[in-house]
Amino acid sequence: MGAASPQSAEDVAAGLRDAGYLAGDSTALVAYLAARLGKPILVEGPAGVGKTELAKAMSRYLDRRLVRLQCYEGLDEAKALYEWNYRKQLLRIQAEATGTGWDAVQDDIFGEEFLLARPLMQAIGSEEPVVLLIDEIDKTDQEFEAMLLELLSDFQITIPELGRIEARTHPVVLLTSNNSRELTEALKRRCLYLWLDYPAIEHELEIVRLHAPELPDTVARRLVEVIAMVRELDLKKPPSIAESIDWARALVLMGAEEITAEVFRSTLSIIVKHRTDLDTVAERVGVRLGAAA
Ligand SMILES: Nc1ncnc2c1ncn2[C@@H]1O[C@H](COP(=O)(O)OP(=O)(O)O)[C@@H](O)[C@H]1O
Ligand SMILES: [Mg+2]
């Protein structure tokens, strides 16, 4: 048996690692259970902690195509599920010889050929099972969530003109949320829940090494320690893993051998991006680095 049916959480962790993702224990376990139980995973947590990347890595690991639905305010069925290809329908009607009965034309233009499949429909209509990423679901409204529930629990959709369309294959589904609003209980009930947070120091060190292998080890270690210190402060937006990686890459380019107070000051805007945060961090952490040097 291949990656398609992992035998343990350790299997999944090793597979994700090969796919460039360092999963913590609970991530590997939830991903394993989701693959085996056929349940969607709801991944929640602050921005930049690896929610979206988990879905991408799952698709590489399982060797399945990734179908992504990026959510936004006002996203509707027409963009998420399907819509009729009006232009093509119009052309079809125009091409029709005069005298053809309306019934005949109508049967024709509401056939699958005139349907535009959007990500959700693509995901369940695919011949090969896919990984479906529904990214930032908290940006949509509750109505959209309700529509999604039907799809996620029955793996089928109903198109008034066509009837019920059942899934050809079942996708592995990951939903992500930045926690900007509380999701409905109904949605949560259907999903396995994974809370991703800022990683522990050793874990983040591994991630930084993976993304910036050229960074000297002592610098990498100092970097994650400083990042952890910065996260302790009461900031508008604490630095995430994404910022740690960017900082590490910048330090590589600069050939930094050490994170001195000076290096810290000049690269501060890579890790904090609010004016008030910049002031707080410069004052609280910059001073400590200066004292240590
Ligand atoms: N566990 C991990 N292993 C490897 N890379 C990671 C991990 N977690 C986060 N990253 C990296 O951190 C960055 C931000 O991750 P992303 O998935 O975009 O965050 P989110 O979707 O939570 O906002 C990406 O470059 C990603 O590759
Ligand atoms: Mg994301």
Side-chain angles (χ1 to χ4, degrees):
M1 259 185 264
S5 80
Q7 295 303 302
S8 65
E10 290 73 30
D11 259 16
V12 174
L16 286 175
R17 177 176 289 265
D18 288 343
Y21 190 87
L22 304 176
D25 290 345
S26 51
T27 303
L29 180 63
V30 170
Y32 165 66
L33 292 175
R36 293 304 293 260
L37 299 174
K39 280 202 146 208
I41 310 177
L42 171 61
V43 194
E44 228 168 5
V49 292
K51 301 183 296 296
T52 302
E53 189 60 32
L54 174 61
K56 293 182 182 171
M58 284 292 278
S59 115
R60 294 193 292 269
Y61 158 50
L62 297 172
D63 197 18
R64 290 181 177 200
R65 185 162 70 94
L66 179 74
V67 175
R68 178 174 184 172
L69 176 66
Q70 176 64 52
C71 299
Y72 51 86
E73 216 184 305
L75 174 65
D76 60 4
E77 285 191 24
K79 287 286 168 284
L81 202 52
Y82 73 90
E83 65 186 322
W84 291 106
N85 189 341
Y86 298 119
R87 270 175 203 250
K88 198 169 169 186
Q89 286 177 323
L90 262 183
L91 284 173
R92 175 72 184 77
I93 294 169
Q94 281 170 357
E96 196 63 58
T98 42
T100 312
W102 169 243
D103 284 348
V105 179
Q106 191 183 23
D107 277 352
D108 193 29
I109 62 172
F110 289 108
E112 282 205 42
E113 193 198 334
F114 293 89
L115 215 51
L116 290 172
R118 300 303 183 198
L120 296 178
M121 193 161 155
Q122 286 169 16
I124 65 167
S126 169
E127 299 279 345
E128 300 287 330
V130 303
V131 170
L132 171 62
L133 164 62
I134 301 173
D135 214 10
E136 306 187 357
I137 175 76
D138 53 327
K139 291 204 175 135
T140 65
D141 52 25
Q142 295 201 352
E143 254 169 64
F144 186 86
E145 251 184 69
M147 185 275 288
L148 210 53
L149 284 180
E150 214 182 307
L151 181 92
L152 293 182
S153 46
D154 305 336
F155 287 102
Q156 64 179 32
I157 57 175
T158 306
I159 299 178
E161 298 86 348
L162 278 182
R164 210 173 61 202
I165 298 189
E166 290 195 26
R168 285 207 184 99
T169 50
H170 282 202
V172 165
V173 184
L174 289 100
L175 302 105
T176 78
S177 160
N178 286 339
N179 213 8
S180 71
R181 72 171 171 86
E182 194 69 40
L183 300 173
T184 60
E185 285 306 319
L187 182 79
K188 287 188 172 172
R189 201 164 52 235
R190 281 174 179 81
C191 300
L192 299 178
Y193 187 73
L194 176 65
W195 173 260
L196 277 188
D197 213 331
Y198 304 120
I201 288 203
E202 291 302 319
H203 189 192
E204 186 155 20
L205 182 56
E206 259 199 289
I207 296 173
V208 166
R209 280 198 190 118
L210 181 76
H211 287 268
E214 309 88 343
L215 190 68
D217 218 52
T218 49
V219 183
R221 183 166 286 279
R222 189 71 184 130
L223 179 151
V224 291
E225 284 169 2
V226 172
I227 289 280
M229 236 188 308
V230 174
R231 281 184 196 140
E232 298 269 298
L233 305 173
D234 187 21
L235 300 182
K236 256 193 175 144
K237 171 71 183 79
S240 70
I241 300 177
E243 275 81 29
S244 299
I245 294 171
D246 284 346
W247 196 22
R249 288 181 174 154
L251 294 179
V252 169
L253 284 177
M254 293 165 67
E257 303 272 307
E258 203 185 328
I259 301 182
T260 58
E262 176 50 31
V263 167
F264 182 71
R265 245 192 309 279
S266 60
T267 52
L268 186 54
S269 58
I270 298 173
I271 57 172
V272 279
K273 293 161 184 172
H274 279 280
R275 230 198 68 79
T276 48
D277 287 354
L278 283 168
D279 293 344
T280 313
V281 175
E283 194 177 309
R284 305 278 298 276
V285 180
V287 166
R288 278 170 73 174
L289 285 172

